[in-house]
């Protein structure tokens, strides 16, 4: 038995020596054993894409489609990791996280960007883009380029503009038809001087709050109502805690797709091209599907909830627009006369009421 154990010890010692000699040789040569399974991982670029809405919304679906197209175009070498529903950052946190480089990509509502450049406030002015065509023309043309370009000095690379649709009004205190119907009501808005002033002009109290807190505050009656697109009203089930929905089409909700500038600059030209092409394709898809989705989900709300739905007539829209006209003058200097005049010209060309 002792002889057997001795042989085993000799064999183990020899095996250990062989391993040490082989490993030591690789170290002296500056090389380590290579594992083929690790090649794809080391070459893959992972981009975290954080956003705050549900996956079944225009932004949520566009983010998924974009990730899929990038994966296909790059043969898996670029991975877009989409984190929806504020799972990584809230809508109040994501912009700072992007600037710090803690996340590589976000798609905040354009309203949020007015804190970086007051030019973005032009998209919040009520009835500034009264038709679908006016929205697409503004976002895809010179106006959109100007807005995206304004982010560069903030370590942010503006890549694309996505649409959600027109904003509507929901409340718990009867139908909203005339501007006076909102007097005294407390409404949730995205933080924005334009939006806050917009509702002040009709006697309401607008409060800028986190999107994902809205349902709870409506349910508890701490708020009377809110403004949002149909897709957000549907995905967050605001219709369950609101009695009335007014189809006013008074405002626009869209998103800027943004990447951390430093991260973008480190990508190769080929990687940047893949991302840009995938975004262009996704943006064209989004700008068609977002309006279609809002139409479909309005029908679902109508068929599957007890909320009362009111449609503003053209005459009623003109009355609201008249009450909000002072906003254009109040924010002219902050937005810039040239940019505002281009938007007004676009509005007047496409006005449908």
């Amino acid at each position: 038995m002792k002889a057997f154990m001795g042989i085993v010890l000799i064999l183990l010692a020899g095996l250990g020596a062989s391993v040490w000699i082989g490993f030591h040789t690789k170290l002296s040569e500056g090389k380590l054993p290579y594992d083929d399974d690790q090649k794809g991982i080391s070459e893959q670029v992972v981009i975290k894409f954080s956003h705050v809405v549900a996956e079944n919304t225009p932004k949520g679906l566009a983010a998924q489609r974009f990730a899929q197209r990038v994966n296909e175009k790059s043969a898996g070498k670029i991975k877009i990791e989409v984190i929806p529903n504020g799972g990584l950052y809230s809508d109040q946190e994501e912009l700072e996280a992007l600037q710090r480089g803690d996340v590589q990509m976000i798609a905040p509502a354009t309203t949020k960007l007015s804190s970086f450049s007051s030019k973005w406030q032009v998209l919040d002015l009520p009835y500034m883009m009264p038709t679908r065509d006016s929205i697409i023309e503004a976002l895809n043309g010179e106006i959109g380029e100007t807005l995206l370009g304004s982010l560069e000095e903030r370590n942010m690379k503006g890549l694309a503009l996505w649409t959600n649709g027109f904003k509507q009004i929901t409340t718990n205190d009867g139908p909203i038809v005339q501007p006076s119907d909102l007097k005294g009501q407390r409404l949730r808005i995205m933080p924005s001087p334009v939006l806050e002033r917009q509702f002040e002009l009709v006697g309401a109290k607008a409060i800028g709050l986190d999107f994902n807190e809205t349902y709870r505050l409506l349910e508890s009656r701490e708020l009377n109502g809110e403004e949002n697109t149909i897709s957000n009203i549907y995905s967050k089930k605001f219709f369950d805690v609101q009695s009335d929905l007014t189809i006013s089409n008074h405002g626009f909700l869209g998103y800027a797709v943004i990447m951390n500038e430093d991260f973008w600059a480190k990508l190769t030209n080929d990687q940047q091209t893949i991302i840009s092409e995938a975004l262009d394709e996704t943006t064209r898809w989004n700008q068609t599907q977002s309006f279609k989705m809002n139409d479909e989900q309005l029908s679902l709300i109508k068929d599957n909830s007890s909320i009362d739905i009111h449609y503003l007539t053209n005459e009623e829209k003109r009355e609201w627009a008249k009450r909000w006209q002072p906003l254009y003058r109040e924010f002219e200097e902050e937005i810039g006369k040239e940019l505002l005049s281009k938007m007004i010209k676009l509005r007047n060309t496409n006005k449908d009421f």
Side-chain angles (χ1 to χ4, degrees), residues 33-178:
Y34 186 73
D35 183 353
D36 287 336
D37 291 338
Q38 300 301 311
K39 182 178 179 181
I41 296 175
S42 64
E43 290 184 351
Q44 187 182 61
V45 174
V46 178
I47 299 172
K48 290 189 186 309
F49 187 166
S50 171
H51 69 81
V52 302
V53 299
E55 293 173 287
N56 62 333
T57 59
K59 178 164 65 172
L61 292 172
Q64 293 176 57
R65 189 181 185 89
F66 167 65
Q68 180 182 348
R69 293 299 295 131
V70 168
N71 182 67
E72 293 169 352
K73 286 176 173 290
S74 69
K77 291 183 179 180
I78 305 175
K79 179 183 179 182
I80 307 294
E81 186 178 332
V82 180
I83 304 102
N85 273 317
L88 197 57
Y89 297 103
S90 72
D91 55 358
Q92 305 294 337
E93 300 167 336
E94 61 181 4
L95 280 162
E96 290 185 4
L98 182 81
Q99 287 182 295
R100 292 193 306 266
D102 293 342
V103 66
Q104 291 78 47
M105 203 167 188
I106 61 173
T110 57
T111 298
K112 300 289 177 58
L113 298 171
S114 60
S115 61
F116 295 102
S117 171
S118 58
K119 291 182 174 69
W120 288 91
Q121 293 179 128
V122 75
L123 299 182
D124 286 335
L125 290 170
Y127 289 120
M128 179 55 83
M129 295 181 289
T131 65
R132 297 179 180 186
D133 287 344
S134 64
I135 290 174
I136 301 304
E137 187 175 344
L139 299 188
N140 291 353
E142 184 181 352
I143 292 168
E145 290 178 4
T146 297
L147 294 174
L148 289 174
S150 70
L151 300 174
E152 292 182 2
E153 62 188 39
R154 299 289 188 150
N155 198 32
M156 295 187 287
K157 176 68 176 178
L159 296 171
L161 290 164
W162 289 350
T163 66
N164 185 314
F166 291 110
K167 289 191 288 188
Q168 322 300 347
I169 300 171
T170 69
T171 69
N172 262 325
D173 294 273
I176 304 300
V177 179
Q178 309 296 328

Side-chain angles (χ1 to χ4, degrees), residues 196-298:
E196 186 175 344
R197 182 65 179 138
Q198 167 186 287
F199 285 113
E200 281 182 0
L201 288 173
V202 294
K205 173 65 175 177
I207 307 168
L209 295 168
D210 189 285
F211 175 64
N212 287 313
E213 285 292 305
T214 305
Y215 184 96
R216 179 184 64 80
L217 295 170
L218 293 173
E219 184 179 34
S220 66
R221 299 298 182 96
E222 294 175 62
L223 295 175
N224 302 103
E226 53 88 47
E227 65 164 6
N228 233 308
T229 59
I230 291 299
S231 70
N232 283 346
I233 292 168
Y234 178 79
S235 67
K236 291 298 184 181
K237 300 186 183 299
F238 294 156
F239 54 82
D240 282 344
V241 290
Q242 298 275 265
S243 63
D244 294 86
L245 164 62
T246 297
I247 305 302
S248 55
N249 288 353
H250 67 278
F252 162 75
L253 176 59
Y255 311 103
V257 183
I258 309 171
M259 187 173 284
N260 175 275
E261 177 71 42
D262 292 337
F263 183 86
W264 172 262
K266 291 176 183 176
L267 297 174
T268 66
N269 290 337
D270 286 345
Q271 290 168 338
Q272 290 180 357
T273 297
I274 287 169
I275 290 169
S276 297
E277 288 180 352
L279 264 180
D280 287 344
E281 293 175 15
T282 303
T283 299
R284 288 194 296 272
W285 176 86
N286 160 262
Q287 292 177 349
T288 299
Q289 293 299 312
S290 58
F291 294 113
K292 181 181 178 182
M293 179 178 293
N294 277 275
D295 291 341
E296 291 173 348
Q297 292 180 344
L298 177 58

